[in-house]
Amino acid sequence: MQRLDLRQLLSQKLSPQQIQFIKLLQIPTAELEMRIKEELEINPALEEGREEPAEEYSDTDDYEDDYGKEEEVDINDYLNDDEISGYKMQGDRGGDEEDREMPIAMTSTLTDSLMDQLGFLDLDDKQFAIGMQLIGSIDHDGYIRRDLSSIANDLAFSQNIETTEEEIEQVLHMIQTFDPAGIGARDLPECLLLQLVRREQDETTILAERIINEAFDEFTKKHYQKIQSKFNITEDELKKAVDQIIRLNPKPGGAGASMTRIQYIIPDFILTNDNGQLQLSLNSRNAPDLRISRSYADMFDAYDKSDKKDKKLKETVTFVKQKLDAAKWFIDAIRQRQNTLLRTMEAIIKYQHDFFLEGDESELRPMILKDIAEEIGMDISTISRVANSKAVQTEFGIYPLKYFFSEGIATDSGEDASSREVKHILKEIIENESKRKPLSDEKIEKLLNEKGYNIARRTVAKYREQLNIPVARLRKEL
């Protein structure tokens, strides 16, 4: 049996303006330009330009679209408000510098380079088609990991070319002579061998090739004594061969990554040091000045002087008011975004003042999102959105804001040290260790404890992995 109930509920919902602010807050400056352009396209009441002395639009009460009432839109509410007459992005440096675009490095891609080299070979149409298919199968590391049988099937189905694995392998061997060395390999040993065969074939190179061909598993596990015994060689001979192998490029396609289009990082903040005084500004290169369209304010002026009982004119004014409100909300959201960014970054600078003065990583203090949220009186989620995908340009380089957040490690003195500081010391310990007898995590733990850092072995292992440092056995060198 159906039942009808009446309930009163209290719930919190974000207004459209709050949602708009949140979305604008979490995007970096590099994407803000695109978002502003989108808003300019859909809202004719919003336009680019600096503030003019002319009167502009301001907030007003909701328009009552009720023709039987005497209440009308007060045009003066949309005019004569200097406070919102225009909006100039904070941090604007002005001048021609703002109009210049950020540099983009444009070069050919790795695929383009390989296709150019393919064109220099004396190939028939079938071989050229196979070569194109092979180049298209090369992944970002420079390897061809697909089976040749699968490539043969692709040629048959997509281009109606019947071929064999032997024909494909013949063309593949040609491609493997291209630059960069090692390109087109099917696995790591083949990649290394392709690079070694281009070198002078002396005793060391020949031994390096034998190690890869006959003892690659022992080499990867650094079982050097087994290799030395297997090939009956001296420790010095083994060391020279191993040194040659580790200098090879395991990812030849990585060189091609630098040949692709490079988008330079656009920092959201610019921090300068003026004789010990840190000065912060927002990078406004990608955020043009915004203002309310003067022509739309003139429409309201025309309405004020016309017959206010005209139905069509009232409908037009209602549409214009909606656009004016949307434009004002957007400008306010941009202003609020910039204010929040500045307050957050200023709080970070306050916490990490010593680091920003010297650029010394050991000066970083433990700092979590909650610390900044309490400092500026905002929610942790707001700070998280600001820290996400934002960066600051300093005299020591460009840093993502997330770089400055770290947990605290207790010390013997009773103070907390930044986990980043501990990582820095851990890295120094490993860099200064004996490469013949690398330190285990337990020994590193003891050394850190001796330095006053109360840290467990599992934490040492976690930090070591975060620094992409292998275990002691894999750090061993001859």
Side-chain angles (χ1 to χ4, degrees):
M1 184 176 178
Q2 290 185 347
R3 180 180 173 183
L4 295 177
D5 286 334
L6 240 128
R7 296 182 181 178
Q8 286 185 333
L9 297 174
L10 288 175
S11 61
Q12 291 183 335
K13 291 185 178 180
L14 294 175
S15 67
Q17 294 83 4
Q18 290 173 317
I19 295 173
Q20 185 178 61
F21 166 67
I22 290 172
K23 289 181 177 179
L24 287 173
L25 184 63
Q26 62 191 10
I27 63 175
T29 300
E31 297 179 18
L32 185 61
E33 179 185 24
M34 185 180 299
R35 176 66 185 89
I36 290 176
K37 286 182 178 179
E38 291 176 358
E39 192 69 21
L40 288 169
E41 290 176 358
I42 63 177
N43 191 347
L46 186 69
E47 62 181 27
E48 293 186 51
R50 295 184 181 277
E51 180 178 354
E52 296 179 357
E55 301 160 342
E56 297 279 345
Y57 163 72
S58 71
D59 194 11
T60 183
D61 296 332
D62 290 336
Y63 172 70
E64 183 67 43
D65 191 13
D66 187 349
Y67 304 111
K69 294 185 177 180
E70 293 296 327
E71 183 180 357
E72 298 291 347
V73 176
D74 186 358
I75 307 303
N76 292 325
D77 285 343
Y78 290 87
L79 307 173
N80 299 322
D81 193 338
D82 295 333
E83 182 181 354
I84 326 174
S85 60
Y87 174 70
K88 187 176 186 302
M89 298 292 288
Q90 298 185 49
D92 177 22
R93 292 170 178 263
D96 297 335
E97 180 184 355
E98 187 179 21
D99 298 329
R100 291 201 295 265
E101 296 181 354
M102 291 298 290
I104 301 295
M106 295 293 295
T107 59
S108 62
T109 64
L110 174 62
T111 302
D112 292 336
S113 175
L114 296 175
M115 289 300 297
D116 290 340
Q117 296 176 70
L118 183 68
F120 288 108
L121 298 180
D122 186 16
L123 304 176
D124 56 33
D125 292 343
K126 182 178 181 180
Q127 289 176 317
F128 189 80
I130 294 173
M132 291 180 63
Q133 189 72 29
L134 286 169
I135 290 174
S137 301
I138 294 176
D139 61 20
H140 66 282
D141 289 338
Y143 290 82
I144 292 181
R145 292 187 168 92
R146 299 198 66 207
D147 294 334
L148 297 186
S149 59
S150 299
I151 295 177
N153 291 334
D154 291 342
L155 287 165
F157 287 114
S158 63
Q159 302 186 46
N160 198 27
I161 296 176
E162 294 292 336
T163 185
T164 64
E165 291 185 32
E166 290 73 19
E167 289 177 313
I168 295 175
E169 190 159 13
Q170 182 182 5
V171 178
L172 176 59
H173 289 323
M174 299 180 189
I175 292 175
Q176 288 176 342
T177 64
F178 292 173
D179 290 326
I183 200 73
R186 285 162 284 187
D187 53 36
L188 179 56
E190 184 178 27
C191 176
L192 300 177
L193 287 171
L194 287 172
Q195 297 175 59
L196 285 172
V197 296
R198 299 195 187 190
R199 301 198 170 199
E200 182 182 352
Q201 294 299 298
D202 54 20
E203 293 181 0
T204 301
T205 304
I206 294 172
L207 177 58
E209 292 176 3
R210 288 189 63 193
I211 291 174
I212 294 174
N213 277 320
E214 303 172 31
F216 189 72
D217 187 52
E218 289 88 345
F219 170 75
T220 57
K221 294 178 180 178
K222 294 197 173 186
H223 293 162
Y224 295 128
Q225 291 182 347
K226 291 183 179 180
I227 297 175
Q228 190 175 343
S229 175
K230 183 174 185 177
F231 294 108
N232 193 24
I233 55 178
T234 65
E235 184 176 329
D236 186 58
E237 289 173 329
L238 177 61
K239 186 177 186 304
K240 290 180 180 178
V242 170
D243 286 345
Q244 189 170 100
I245 294 174
I246 62 178
R247 285 184 171 85
L248 301 175
N249 184 7
K251 296 182 179 181
S258 63
M259 300 168 64
T260 58
R261 178 187 176 100
I262 300 172
Q263 175 70 59
Y264 289 99
I265 295 177
I266 302 176
D268 300 84
F269 307 92
I270 298 174
L271 184 66
T272 56
N273 187 343
D274 185 11
N275 295 324
Q277 296 294 323
L278 298 176
Q279 297 182 355
L280 177 69
S281 62
L282 280 169
N283 184 356
S284 60
R285 185 184 296 273
N286 293 290
D289 300 323
L290 298 176
R291 66 182 182 187
I292 302 298
S293 171
R294 184 65 198 172
S295 60
Y296 268 63
D298 291 340
M299 290 183 187
F300 271 86
D301 190 29
Y303 167 73
D304 188 36
K305 298 174 182 177
S306 63
D307 182 8
K308 296 182 176 58
K309 301 300 181 181
D310 189 293
K311 182 178 179 180
K312 290 185 178 180
L313 186 55
K314 287 195 173 196
E315 292 175 352
T316 301
V317 169
T318 302
F319 170 79
V320 172
K321 179 187 179 298
Q322 291 174 349
K323 294 300 180 183
L324 288 170
D325 283 339
K328 176 187 176 296
W329 291 337
F330 187 78
I331 289 175
D332 285 344
I334 292 289
R335 179 188 291 131
Q336 190 176 355
R337 174 188 187 271
Q338 306 297 62
N339 181 57
T340 303
L341 290 180
L342 279 173
R343 290 181 62 192
T344 303
M345 190 63 218
E346 286 169 353
I348 293 175
I349 293 172
K350 182 179 178 181
Y351 255 84
Q352 309 293 359
H353 186 267
D354 292 341
F355 169 81
F356 288 115
L357 283 178
E358 303 293 338
D360 186 357
E361 195 176 50
S362 63
E363 296 290 344
L364 283 172
R365 295 173 53 196
M367 184 180 74
I368 58 177
L369 296 173
K370 183 180 179 182
D371 296 330
I372 302 301
E374 292 177 349
E375 178 71 23
I376 63 177
M378 290 187 177
D379 192 79
I380 293 178
S381 62
T382 302
I383 308 304
S384 176
R385 289 186 175 94
V386 173
N388 184 37
S389 69
K390 304 291 191 305
V392 57
Q393 176 179 310
T394 70
E395 296 180 354
F396 319 107
I398 297 178
Y399 295 88
L401 295 197
K402 286 184 177 180
Y403 176 84
F404 305 109
F405 292 90
S406 61
E407 299 173 348
I409 301 293
T411 63
D412 290 343
S413 62
E415 298 179 353
D416 281 347
S418 168
S419 60
R420 195 172 299 280
E421 177 186 344
V422 178
K423 289 179 185 178
H424 181 71
I425 296 174
L426 186 151
K427 187 177 179 181
E428 285 184 344
I429 291 174
I430 293 176
E431 287 176 350
N432 296 325
E433 70 183 359
S434 171
K435 301 306 177 184
R436 288 178 175 269
K437 293 182 179 179
L439 298 172
S440 64
D441 291 344
E442 290 83 1
K443 291 182 179 178
I444 295 175
E445 174 197 357
K446 291 180 180 178
L447 289 174
L448 287 171
N449 289 339
E450 290 174 3
K451 291 178 179 290
Y453 299 100
N454 300 324
I455 187 170
R457 186 202 60 80
R458 62 180 179 274
T459 308
V460 171
K462 182 180 75 170
Y463 287 172
R464 177 179 51 73
E465 291 172 358
Q466 291 175 353
L467 292 169
N468 294 321
I469 298 175
V471 295
R473 177 172 56 81
L474 296 180
R475 298 200 305 272
K476 185 177 180 181
E477 296 180 6
L478 291 172

